[in-house]
Structure formats: structure tokens, C-alpha cells
Amino acid sequence: MTPLNTSRGTAPLPILSIASGSAQRLGASAVLVMAEGPMEWDLVRPVADGGVDFMVASASERQLEAIRKAGLTAIEVEPIEAAIAERITLALIEAVANDHVKAGARVVVVYSGFEAEALDSISVIRLGEHLERLTARDLRALETSVPFDTLKAVVDTAVEIGREGREGKAVGSLIVVGDVRNVLNRTRPLGFDPFKGYRRKERNVRDTRVREAIKEIAQLDGAFVVGRDGTVEAACRLIDAPVAGLTLPKGLGTRHWAAAAITSVTRAVAVVVSQSTGSVRIFQDGDVILRIAPMRHARAMKWQDAESEPADPPPRSRERERDRERDREKSPPSTPPRTPTST
């Protein structure tokens, strides 16, 4: 029997073929591949021609370009160190946000569950029926004076604040975007401005480091003011605008009233993160025009099938554990040692 000439790039083809067949039998909307290393994506294309969309998640620009060139759907994810379940969740959120798959859909996921950089596991995931996540279409539908790229960067930052908080604590925030001159005239500093003194290119929200800084500074009081081009013009600002004539739903706090007030007297858009719920609301002309529910409270996905479970410990390990337990029960309670005293 002649051995097959396989490379690391072609080795996952059988499991991808199984995933494609499973997706068709289950009526799944797509197959999501969590790419861990380089593959011959041109060879994956025939496997993906079974009537089910193939999405490939990767953080590598070179990989993403090759994936798109092969005619597959590329899902760009952040290069983070996290458990596979969390990385799958983030990839699915990105897929929903870019309209590649609908909330409530069933997705077959292929990933590295046992050996690093080896696609060896398959799970079937059903996205939560009530998954509320901002989509690019939602943002583009908003008629604002703020460019889409700037608004998306700000909203993505706000969603992360609402979902993650900071150091285990819930954090609220207010970011006012656009019409900077009029906004600054309607606000005053609360004290130290962490962004003051930096060059413009060092404080643009499209920069990942700037977004991380915003998430840190969000723990302080006051609002951020961001220009149309994405430059953070000021932070820790107190909004001084009239609320007369404005109406908001019950339960919304001072940040929401401040957002309604500043957008009613300027052409700016305000993005508010609720500290109590993590929800993100976008204000324009004094009204809420879009609401995004926090992912930490929504059922982002439900694992339907567990392909593997932790193995039971070997018999000798169990016996040793029982022996140690019996020894602990027989031994008298320990007493703290006496501290010698000098005479």
C-alpha cells in the first residue's frame, strides 16, 4: 500500500470533510474553522463546496489574505491568549457582527482541542436566540455626521467596557464623538486630563493601545471627547448642558441624561456604557437611537455536544487519595507551634 503524501497543511482535510457533512445533516448554517497554523486553503475549497458556508478565523494577516484568495469567508480575530471556548465565542461574535451568520443559527466548529496547531475536535454550537450584538449594518444605517470607522471603533470600545468591566468590577462610561468645538464649549474639566500633551497620532481610537487606555481611564469620572477623525481630544470632562424638555426611559442614570443633553444642543453622537447593566446606548439629537445588550448577560452560545470529558484518574491515584483522606481523619488537629520566649 502506497502511503499518502500528506503535509501539515493537508492533514486536517478529513476532519473538515466530516464537519461539512455534519453541518449538512444537522441543517447548520456554517462551519467555523479555528485556524491555528498555515494550511493549503485552496485544497479546502472543494471540501467547502457542499452548500454550507465555511468561515475561517485567524489573527494572521497573511493567513486571512490566503483564506480570502481561496474563496472562503475570513473572520479576523484578536491575537489573544485565552481558552479555546473563549476564542470560539469571540470568533462567533465577530461573525454575527459582520452578518456572516445570524443569531440563533447552528454552527459546526472545528478546532484544536487536544494537540496544539492540529485540528482534531468538532463541536456543534447553537447561538443564543436572543443574542443582541451590534452589526455593521446597524451602524451604517445610522445617519450621523461621524464617519463609520470612527463610530465603529468607539462603539466597539464601549461594548468591551460593558462586557469586561475593569479588574473584575463593572464600569460605566460616556464617550462624545464629533462637533468637538461645540462639545468642549459645553463641558469643563474635572481635573487631570490623561490624554493632554500627547501627539494626535498617539491618541486615535483606531489604535488598539488607545482603546486599552480608554478602558483604563473609564474608571475615572467624566466624559471622553473624540473628534470625527477618531482623535481623543479630552477626557474626564463634566458636561454642562440643559436637560429641560428631554425625556428618557425610567432607570437611566446621570450619564444617559448627560448624553441626551449634549447631543440635543450639538451635532455630536454620544455612546454610553451603563455601569449597572453593561448595556451600551447611542444617543443623537437627545434620543436613544441604538441599544446593544452586554454579552456578559446574553447567552452568546450554547454548547450542544461535548465531544470529550476529563478522563477519570487512574485506580492507583484514587487509592492514594483515599489513603491520604483516612490519614487526615485519624491525625489529631494540628496546634500552632509555641514561640520561644527569651529570658
Side-chain angles (χ1 to χ4, degrees), residues 23 29 58 62 74 98 132 167 220 226 246 269 272 279 299:
S29 299
S58 177
R62 182 179 298 180
N98 289 282
E132 292 184 68
E167 297 180 357
L220 304 177
V226 178
L246 299 176
V269 174
V272 184
S279 294
R299 292 292 297 275

Side-chain angles (χ1 to χ4, degrees), residues 154 157-158 161-162 171-177 183 186-187 190 195 214 217-226 232 234-241 253-263 268-275 279-284:
V154 169
T157 305
I161 293 172
V171 175
S173 187
L174 168 57
I175 307 174
V176 185
V177 193
V183 170
R186 293 281 188 172
T187 65
L190 279 171
F195 281 96
I214 290 175
I217 299 167
Q219 300 175 86
L220 304 177
D221 290 332
F224 296 91
V225 179
V226 178
V232 182
C236 302
R237 304 285 295 190
L238 178 65
I239 291 177
D240 187 11
T254 54
R255 285 190 184 89
H256 299 90
W257 281 100
I262 195 65
T263 58
V269 174
V271 181
V272 184
V273 182
S274 172
Q275 184 172 353
S279 294
V280 175
R281 290 177 174 83
I282 302 177
F283 285 76
Q284 186 179 35

Side-chain angles (χ1 to χ4, degrees), residues 8 14 23 26 30 57 86 98 106 149 162 189 200 204 206 224 251 257 286 291 306 325 327-328 332 342:
R8 194 175 188 86
L26 294 170
E86 182 178 352
N98 289 282
R106 186 176 295 180
D149 289 342
R200 294 186 68 82
N204 195 289
R206 297 188 181 93
F224 296 91
W257 281 100
R291 175 183 177 273
E325 185 66 28
D327 291 341
R328 284 195 293 269
S342 59

Side-chain angles (χ1 to χ4, degrees), residues 79-90:
I80 62 171
E81 293 291 336
I84 185 60
E86 182 178 352
R87 288 190 284 125
I88 291 173
T89 300
L90 295 175

Side-chain angles (χ1 to χ4, degrees), residues 13-238:
L13 290 180
I15 196 169
L16 295 179
S17 180
I18 294 171
S20 178
S22 300
Q24 293 179 57
R25 289 193 300 274
L26 294 170
S29 299
V31 173
L32 172 65
V33 182
M34 301 297 294
E36 299 289 346
M39 282 189 61
E40 297 179 28
W41 297 110
D42 289 336
L43 300 180
V44 177
R45 178 70 263 180
V47 177
D49 286 337
V52 177
D53 289 337
F54 257 68
M55 306 182 298
V56 185
S58 177
S60 166
E61 287 292 339
R62 182 179 298 180
Q63 283 276 69
L64 292 168
E65 183 179 352
I67 291 163
R68 296 187 184 100
K69 188 176 180 180
L72 304 172
T73 301
I75 305 295
E76 184 175 0
V77 293
E78 294 288 337
I80 62 171
E81 293 291 336
I84 185 60
E86 182 178 352
R87 288 190 284 125
I88 291 173
T89 300
L90 295 175
L92 288 171
I93 291 173
E94 191 66 25
V96 172
N98 289 282
D99 295 327
H100 296 310
V101 67
K102 300 297 182 184
R106 186 176 295 180
V107 179
V108 175
V109 184
V110 185
Y111 57 97
S112 301
F114 298 96
E115 182 182 349
E117 297 190 5
L119 297 176
D120 52 23
S121 302
I122 298 177
S123 288
V124 181
I125 297 173
R126 180 172 59 82
L127 299 179
E129 295 292 347
H130 301 291
L131 175 62
E132 292 184 68
R133 177 65 166 90
L134 182 71
T135 66
R137 182 184 304 167
D138 294 328
L139 267 190
R140 290 187 188 279
L142 301 180
E143 296 181 0
T144 73
S145 59
V146 179
F148 170 75
D149 289 342
T150 298
L151 187 58
K152 185 176 187 300
V154 169
V155 171
D156 284 346
T157 305
V159 169
E160 290 174 12
I161 293 172
R163 181 178 67 236
E164 303 166 6
R166 212 61 181 166
E167 297 180 357
K169 298 180 180 179
V171 175
S173 187
L174 168 57
I175 307 174
V176 185
V177 193
D179 201 4
V180 169
R181 181 177 298 179
N182 288 327
V183 170
L184 290 177
N185 288 336
R186 293 281 188 172
T187 65
R188 51 191 171 88
L190 279 171
F192 173 69
D193 184 349
F195 281 96
K196 189 174 182 179
Y198 288 90
R199 291 179 295 177
R200 294 186 68 82
K201 67 178 183 179
E202 294 176 337
R203 44 191 171 93
N204 195 289
V205 292
R206 297 188 181 93
D207 189 329
T208 304
R209 293 171 298 180
V210 175
R211 293 198 295 272
E212 287 299 316
I214 290 175
K215 289 156 68 173
E216 283 288 345
I217 299 167
Q219 300 175 86
L220 304 177
D221 290 332
F224 296 91
V225 179
V226 178
R228 282 172 42 86
D229 63 349
T231 303
V232 182
E233 299 291 351
C236 302
R237 304 285 295 190
L238 178 65

